[in-house]
């Protein structure tokens, strides 16, 4: 996890920025003074009288930059995009083909690739969320989120586009920060005491006649002799002992000597998806050259280097679409000729190419194969000053794990087994003005049916989008967003005994 800068921080510490005071942009100001929390770093003591102050000054880290309403930003200005985009977002979705069941006729799947628009709202939860763990306490900065997505498609014979709701989600991000040591005090022991003032059992078995025994008893008599017990504090240096009777109560200061808990990660995301899945992702800010605020623009690969299975809608378990180390498909070139041919046993031995042909033949190629190329192409026409890169997953390679719970139907037919999330929070400079921009790639892995060899197949469901705050997108795009996501005539929301209009579009709030 990351910690905030403290007074007297050494000049050689791993800081997130080096800009001089007064020259910072928003991200530079926000991320000033973060470093990696290490096991030998000082631990802050918790005191009850400071609780309100701690809650009022809770850290939200990079999550503070998300506060507000973000909407799709369609970069049709970009000459590097060969044809106008209907929307900024691209998703690929793979589902079981109608009539299929697990274990019968493997490899039949339905593939959809669509462009979409989105409204994503983040709301800061005031005050720290306190997690009490005895000697360890963690204060989280919580940020609620609500996501609405509509696909965008052309309608044959009409100029109007078709907007169809396809996804809703809500949940919460947590910045897992401020750790404290909460040692026992005389007051906490007396308040929380749950043992008898005098223990008949202690007296009968060990001869201890004191109250509230807060030390171990040690038997100092050897085996075979009449048993004699003393308190640990009465033990002389080097004196042998033969039994330990644990203490029944805490001493003031207990827990002060650790162990001290350090969370593996700084960020948690919990989300509820209406298909019947609940997710918990864990992650952190990814550094580059020991800096968490990275100068310049995010880097994405080009040409044959873009064929990276971890980001393709064709997973390793779905076959390789004819790709070999010597024949890699260049996604910056037109799709290979075989993609548009009728495949047979002769030009497609083993049915490898036909298995993924429709993905490469999709109208949104190459984004249908690698959706985050849309993020890359959007950036090619922009001046990006700096960015923060967040990586999260439900299945971490090391350390603490997130997880996914599915309702029985989903768990039986199309279990969701892993979610990987990448976010880039960027400072874009346009006309001398700095604008925040949010890009993300989310890869969800489903499992259904089996391969010809009986092995499990993973099916990637990928979402990518570029968003900006509502006030930072062009007027024509804002009009579409308002029409699709904000009521023209606000609904009435009942609060108490009165009826008030719903919030409506925040851009037009008075």
């Amino acid at each position: 996890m990351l910690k905030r800068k403290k007074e007297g921080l050494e000049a050689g510490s791993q800081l997130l920025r080096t800009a001089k005071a007064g020259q910072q942009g928003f991200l530079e100001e926000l991320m000033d003074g973060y470093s990696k929390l290490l096991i030998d770093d000082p631990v802050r003591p918790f005191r009850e009288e400071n609780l309100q102050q701690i809650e009022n000054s809770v850290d939200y880290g990079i999550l503070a930059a998300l506060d507000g309403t973000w909407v799709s930003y369609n970069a049709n200005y970009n000459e590097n995009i060969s044809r106008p985009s209907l929307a900024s977002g691209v998703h690929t979705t793979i589902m079981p083909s109608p009539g299929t069941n697990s274990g019968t006729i493997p490899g039949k799947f339905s593939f959809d690739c669509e462009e979409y628009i989105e409204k994503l709202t983040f709301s800061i939860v005031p005050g720290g969320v306190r997690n009490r763990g005895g000697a360890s306490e963690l204060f989280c900065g919580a940020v609620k989120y609500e996501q609405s997505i509509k696909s965008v498609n052309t309608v044959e014979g009409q100029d109007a586009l078709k907007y169809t709701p396809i996804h809703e989600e809500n949940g919460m991000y947590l910045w897992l920060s401020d750790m404290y040591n909460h040692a026992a005090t005389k007051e906490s022991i007396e308040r929380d005491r749950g043992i008898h003032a005098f223990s008949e059992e202690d007296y009968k078995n060990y001869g201890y006649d004191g109250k509230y025994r807060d030390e171990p008893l040690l038997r100092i008599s050897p085996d075979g002799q009449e048993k004699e017990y003393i308190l640990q504090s009465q033990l002389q240096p080097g004196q042998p002992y033969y039994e330990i009777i644990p203490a029944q109560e805490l001493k003031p200061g207990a827990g002060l000597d650790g162990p001290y808990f350090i969370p593996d990660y700084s960020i948690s995301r919990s989300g509820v998806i209406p298909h019947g899945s609940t997710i918990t992702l864990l992650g952190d800010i990814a550094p580059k050259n020991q800096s968490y605020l990275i100068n310049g623009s995010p880097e994405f690969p080009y040409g044959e280097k873009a064929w990276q299975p971890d980001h393709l809608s064709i997973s390793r378990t779905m076959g390789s679409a004819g790709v070999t180390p010597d024949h890699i498909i260049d996604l910056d070139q037109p799709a290979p000729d075989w993609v548009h041919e009728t495949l047979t046993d002769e030009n497609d031995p083993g049915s490898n190419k036909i298995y993924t042909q429709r993905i490469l033949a999709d109208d949104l190629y190459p984004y249908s194969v690698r959706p985050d190329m849309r993020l890359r192409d959007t950036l090619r026409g922009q001046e990006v000053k700096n960015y923060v890169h967040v990586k999260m997953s439900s299945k971490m390679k090391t350390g603490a794990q997130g997880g996914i719970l599915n309702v029985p139907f989903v768990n039986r037919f199309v279990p969701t087994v892993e979610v990987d999330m990448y976010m880039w929070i960027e400072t874009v400079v346009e006309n001398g003005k700095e604008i925040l921009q949010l890009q993300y790639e989310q890869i969800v892995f489903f499992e259904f049916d089996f391969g010809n060899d009986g092995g499990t197949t993973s099916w990637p469901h990928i979402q990518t989008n570029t968003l900006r705050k509502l006030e930072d997108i062009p007027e024509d795009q804002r009009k579409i967003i308002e029409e699709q996501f904000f009521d023209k005539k606000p609904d009435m929301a009942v609060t108490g005994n009165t009826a008030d209009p719903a919030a409506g579009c925040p851009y037009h709030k008075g």
Side-chain angles (χ1 to χ4, degrees):
M1 66 174 290
L2 302 182
K3 63 178 181 180
R4 284 187 288 186
K5 179 180 178 180
K6 299 177 182 177
E7 294 298 325
L9 195 65
E10 294 83 354
S13 296
Q14 181 187 17
L15 298 180
L16 301 179
R17 53 168 297 278
T18 58
K20 297 179 180 179
Q23 296 179 345
Q24 303 102 315
F26 179 83
L27 289 183
E28 291 167 322
E29 180 102 14
L30 178 66
M31 299 306 295
D32 182 13
Y34 280 89
S35 60
K36 193 74 172 177
L37 180 63
L38 303 176
I39 191 64
D40 55 352
D41 282 338
V43 179
R44 288 170 290 183
F46 175 83
R47 295 183 177 86
E48 291 285 351
E49 61 268 24
N50 296 335
L51 175 59
Q52 193 62 53
Q53 179 184 353
I54 293 172
E55 290 183 339
N56 291 343
S57 62
V58 67
D59 192 17
Y60 294 91
I62 189 58
L63 301 183
L66 300 178
D67 188 33
T69 298
W70 299 77
V71 296
S72 292
Y73 173 60
N74 196 357
N76 276 331
Y77 65 85
N78 197 329
E79 62 184 15
N80 297 300
I81 298 177
S82 58
R83 62 186 175 88
S85 306
L86 299 181
S88 60
V90 174
H91 82 85
T92 63
T93 302
I94 299 177
M95 284 285 113
S97 182
T100 59
N101 283 290
S102 181
T104 62
I105 313 181
K108 297 295 183 183
F109 64 93
S110 172
F111 176 77
D112 289 321
C113 183
E114 296 177 303
E115 295 175 293
Y116 66 85
I117 59 174
E118 174 179 359
K119 177 170 73 75
L120 180 57
T121 301
F122 295 92
S123 304
I124 296 289
V125 178
V129 179
R130 183 184 182 188
N131 284 341
R132 302 177 65 175
S136 295
E137 298 215 7
L138 170 68
F139 284 80
C140 307
V143 180
K144 295 186 292 186
Y145 75 90
E146 291 184 322
Q147 183 183 43
S148 297
I149 291 177
K150 291 186 177 184
S151 66
V152 184
N153 291 288
T154 57
V155 179
E156 187 175 355
Q158 298 181 18
D159 293 332
L161 297 176
K162 182 180 180 181
Y163 296 90
T164 305
I166 59 173
H167 186 79
E168 291 286 332
E169 184 177 331
N170 59 45
M172 190 169 289
Y173 281 82
L174 298 177
W175 181 258
L176 308 174
S177 182
D178 304 330
M179 286 296 309
Y180 291 85
N181 172 262
H182 196 169
T185 63
K186 180 176 182 295
E187 293 75 15
S188 70
I189 293 170
E190 292 177 350
R191 181 183 64 231
D192 299 336
R193 175 165 288 139
I195 65 170
H196 297 141
F198 176 80
S199 171
E200 294 284 352
E201 186 176 346
D202 268 7
Y203 180 71
K204 178 181 178 182
N205 294 333
Y206 315 119
Y208 178 75
D209 58 1
K211 296 181 179 182
Y212 306 126
R213 184 165 60 81
D214 55 12
E215 290 185 54
L217 283 169
L218 307 177
R219 179 168 65 85
I220 58 174
S221 55
D223 294 338
Q225 297 185 11
E226 184 178 354
K227 295 182 177 181
E228 180 183 355
Y229 295 87
I230 62 173
L231 293 171
Q232 180 183 2
S233 60
Q234 298 172 321
L235 189 71
Q236 299 301 310
Q239 184 178 7
Y241 52 93
Y242 305 93
E243 284 182 355
I244 303 171
I245 314 302
Q248 295 179 345
E249 186 55 276
L250 295 169
K251 270 184 175 294
L256 184 64
D257 55 352
Y260 304 113
F261 177 71
I262 297 180
D264 296 46
Y265 308 105
S266 298
I267 304 173
S268 167
R269 170 188 161 200
S270 299
V272 180
I273 294 93
H275 295 288
S277 298
T278 302
I279 62 172
T280 295
L281 311 184
L282 296 173
D284 221 325
I285 300 175
K288 181 178 180 181
N289 299 327
Q290 296 190 331
S291 178
Y292 294 98
L293 181 64
I294 304 170
N295 291 326
S297 179
E299 297 177 356
F300 291 90
Y302 289 83
E304 292 184 354
K305 292 183 179 179
W307 191 272
Q308 298 175 335
D310 287 346
H311 299 275
L312 302 181
S313 56
I314 303 170
S315 78
R316 291 180 174 90
T317 62
M318 292 170 61
S320 59
V323 168
T324 67
D326 296 327
H327 295 89
I328 296 175
I329 296 175
D330 186 339
L331 293 175
D332 282 305
Q333 298 296 323
D337 291 340
W338 64 261
V339 169
H340 306 289
E341 296 174 353
T342 300
L343 299 179
T344 66
D345 289 339
E346 293 184 1
N347 60 8
D348 182 26
S351 301
N352 193 354
K353 295 178 180 178
I354 197 171
Y355 194 53
T356 51
Q357 184 184 39
R358 80 199 73 168
I359 298 177
L360 284 86
D362 192 271
D363 288 342
L364 285 173
Y365 175 89
Y367 307 132
S368 60
V369 180
R370 180 163 178 162
D372 71 337
M373 291 178 69
R374 171 64 69 80
L375 305 182
R376 182 199 71 178
D377 291 345
T378 297
L379 291 172
R380 287 165 74 178
Q382 296 181 344
E383 179 188 348
V384 180
K385 179 182 178 183
N386 51 41
Y387 67 96
V388 174
H389 187 193
V390 176
K391 294 183 178 181
M392 309 185 72
S393 180
S394 66
K395 189 179 291 185
M396 306 301 296
K397 298 294 188 294
T398 60
Q401 298 295 308
I404 302 172
L405 288 176
N406 300 305
V407 297
F409 181 92
V410 172
N411 214 43
R412 177 172 181 175
F413 295 109
V414 191
T416 303
V417 297
E418 183 176 351
V419 180
D420 297 323
M421 178 76 173
Y422 307 92
M423 288 197 301
W424 296 264
I425 304 171
E426 304 154 351
T427 303
V428 179
V429 180
E430 291 184 357
N431 300 319
K433 176 184 177 183
E434 294 189 358
I435 298 172
L436 281 184
Q437 182 169 273
L438 173 63
Q439 293 191 303
Y440 70 80
E441 176 190 19
Q442 178 170 276
I443 306 173
V444 182
F445 286 100
F446 305 137
E447 289 182 356
F448 59 87
D449 288 337
F450 301 94
N452 288 329
D453 60 356
T456 299
T457 302
S458 293
W459 310 87
H461 164 44
I462 305 178
Q463 297 167 265
T464 65
N465 204 0
T466 299
L467 306 102
R468 291 186 178 182
K469 296 289 182 70
L470 188 62
E471 60 269 23
D472 291 328
I473 64 172
E475 182 65 31
D476 58 336
Q477 295 184 35
R478 185 161 58 242
K479 181 180 179 181
I480 294 173
I481 294 295
E482 292 171 354
E483 290 175 348
Q484 295 300 322
F485 292 113
F486 298 101
D487 296 333
K488 297 177 182 177
K489 295 182 179 179
D491 295 331
M492 302 301 284
V494 177
T495 57
N497 297 322
T498 62
D500 300 322
C505 174
Y507 182 73
H508 291 302
K509 280 185 177 179

